[in-house]
Amino acid sequence: MSTPIQDNDKIEVGLDIGTTKICAIAGKRNEYGKLEIMGMGKAVSDGVTRGMVTNIDKTVESIKQAIKQLEDNTGLDVGEVNIGIAGQHIRSSKHQGMIMRPNPQEVITVQDVYRLTEEMNKIVIPPGSNIIHIMPQMYTIDYEQTTNEPVGMVGARLEAEFHIITSQTSAINNIKHCVKKAGAELGKKEFNLKQLILEPVASSMAVLTNEEKEAGVALIDIGGGTTDIAIFQDNIIRHTAVIPFGGNIITQDIKQGCGLLHHQAEKLKTQFGCALANETPANHVIAIQTLAGREPKEISIRTLAQIIQSRMDEIIQLAYAELKTSGYYKNLSGGIVITGGGAMLKYVKQLFEYNTAMDTRLGIPHEHLGKSKIEDIKNPVYSTCIGLVLAGFQSYDMRDNKYEELKSKSKTGIDASQKAIGKDGDVNNAMFLKNLNEKIKNFFLEDNNDKYDYQ
């Protein structure tokens, strides 16, 4: 009998609805804060094109297969999932927000920061679009003081620049519909979408280190249908983009250039593909049986590599153009981290370095993993799905994790203080709140005493 997932079990499930595969992974945190993978289910994705659902029935069937396989492998009864979203419909933009605080003598609180963020939901966006992420950048207090973390500081006017990510409403609704329908066909009373996360944001949680995010780094996730980009600096997401080309278009090029069937082109790419033509032998050929009754077709390894390199050069140049557009590419001390299935091509790291003159490494999702029942999970192909599991435990913005910790401590303190409030409760409560404000201020002062002046 399957075991229902309870909130206190702290088990999260990531569902990656990709162009080539649909993958479901369940995980939990161990005592050291590492993610332990409990199981995985996956299915071929036939109803998704370049990150967008194009066939509801096929997508629903693949989701059902992945979830059923996960449940059979783990004995869990999955009730909610964290899902990634990508596609050429994704748009990003910069906006300014501002609030006035009623009492400028009191320190800025977590509630003030969240209220400012909430105000951004009121901005005007193109018709047919929905906001999926509101990412604060820098905060400004009373026109002058600029900081990443305003909580604990004092001021009347709080403003910030925000990086806003929007998605096509129909794309979101199609994903929701597929999840709901898959749950119904699996006989589940409850099967919900817990949160929707931009895929490069999820991938970054799985493969980037905190040091890289602080120094400045560009994550480039080469998937089947899209290549997704997320740029970090000072531990904050500064820029995101989705390029509508991925590994599938390379397969299509091989299919057309060599006159093969799609599955043959894919197999040829994964087994013999190389991103640098000069690194392949000029006289090696592969014989492939195309159609029954016909002579095998001979494919040169170098010709194959030339086809792959030509398309990879294009994808890299488009990605590099996004890095320049962001305005941060000269400040990326951490260089480039590539992940996703397309990053598994031989010599693709070297091709990135050749085209961008930036240090590049392969992003493997083992940084935040503990012991796992499936060792094969430590593969760039699963970066997004593992990131979606991690997103169930923590925010992609480290400041939010601090704020949640503060809110938790504040709530505990307030509950305890109720016992001390008698007939002079108002006075006692005021004293408690004053002490709480001091604790909040000191909490951030410990990390930033070289940056901020609380005089």
Side-chain angles (χ1 to χ4, degrees), residues 181-200:
K181 188 175 181 182
E185 292 185 9
L186 286 169
K188 295 178 179 291
K189 293 181 180 179
E190 294 276 341
F191 189 62
N192 303 315
L193 191 160
K194 181 179 179 181
Q195 58 179 329
L196 196 64
I197 303 164
L198 188 66
E199 289 189 358

Side-chain angles (χ1 to χ4, degrees), residues 86-97:
Q88 59 194 90
H89 59 93
I90 299 293
R91 296 288 182 270
S92 63
S93 56
K94 301 287 186 181
H95 293 270
Q96 293 287 134

Side-chain angles (χ1 to χ4, degrees), residues 84 119 134 177 192 204 213 221 254 297 338 357 363 380 384 388 405 407 440 450:
E119 285 292 313
I134 301 174
H177 177 66
N192 303 315
S204 70
K213 292 178 183 178
D221 185 345
I254 297 170
K297 181 169 289 188
I338 55 173
T384 297
L388 291 170
E405 183 182 344
K407 284 174 64 179
I440 291 174
D450 292 332

Side-chain angles (χ1 to χ4, degrees), residues 221-453:
D221 185 345
I222 310 169
T226 62
T227 295
D228 308 325
I229 300 170
I231 295 175
F232 285 78
Q233 191 177 57
D234 294 331
N235 286 311
I236 298 171
I237 296 178
R238 303 296 186 177
H239 184 80
T240 57
V242 177
I243 298 170
F245 299 112
N248 275 9
I249 198 169
I250 298 175
T251 302
Q252 189 67 22
D253 289 345
I254 297 170
K255 174 186 173 182
Q256 294 179 353
C258 300
L260 304 173
L261 299 176
H262 187 274
H263 74 276
Q264 293 173 330
E266 179 66 24
K267 192 172 183 180
L268 196 63
K269 180 186 75 174
T270 55
Q271 290 190 0
F272 302 100
C274 175
L276 282 177
N278 290 337
E279 295 296 327
T280 60
N283 55 350
H284 283 201
V285 296
I286 305 166
I288 298 177
Q289 184 68 54
T290 54
L291 298 174
R294 302 194 180 182
E295 290 293 323
K297 181 169 289 188
E298 293 187 344
I299 308 293
S300 165
I301 291 290
R302 175 158 292 186
T303 299
L304 174 66
Q306 288 170 342
I307 294 171
I308 293 172
Q309 182 175 346
S310 177
R311 183 61 75 173
M312 277 303 307
D313 278 335
E314 181 184 1
I315 292 173
I316 293 170
Q317 290 302 324
L318 289 170
Y320 190 45
E322 281 293 339
L323 301 193
K324 290 184 175 181
T325 299
S326 74
Y328 289 95
Y329 81 104
K330 289 185 177 180
N331 301 315
L332 301 178
S333 301
I336 295 172
V337 176
I338 55 173
T339 193
M344 299 293 290
L345 276 170
K346 193 175 182 181
Y347 294 119
V348 72
K349 168 186 172 296
Q350 288 83 350
L351 189 62
F352 263 91
E353 291 179 333
Y354 175 78
N355 277 282
T356 65
M358 297 175 68
D359 289 338
T360 303
R361 76 168 178 88
L362 178 64
I364 300 173
H366 57 62
E367 175 70 21
H368 306 286
L369 292 184
K371 292 182 179 178
S372 299
K373 295 181 179 179
I374 310 170
E375 283 302 314
D376 292 343
I377 205 76
K378 296 176 181 179
N379 187 307
V381 172
Y382 303 113
S383 295
T384 297
C385 203
I386 291 174
L388 291 170
V389 179
L390 285 166
F393 294 99
Q394 65 188 51
S395 170
Y396 56 81
D397 191 327
M398 294 178 67
R399 294 171 295 183
D400 280 339
N401 297 317
K402 270 188 177 182
Y403 296 159
E404 288 302 317
E405 183 182 344
L406 271 179
K407 284 174 64 179
S408 176
K409 288 182 179 179
S410 299
K411 185 177 184 302
T412 303
I414 290 172
D415 290 343
S417 72
Q418 300 304 314
K419 298 177 183 179
I421 300 177
K423 64 180 181 179
D424 296 324
D426 290 341
V427 175
N428 290 334
N429 198 37
M431 290 297 295
F432 167 75
L433 291 175
K434 181 179 179 181
N435 291 334
L436 177 60
N437 282 333
E438 287 297 320
K439 289 179 180 179
I440 291 174
K441 182 166 67 175
N442 291 334
F443 180 89
F444 284 93
L445 187 59
E446 289 175 1
D447 291 338
N448 303 288
N449 56 5
D450 292 332
K451 295 181 181 179
Y452 310 136
D453 182 10

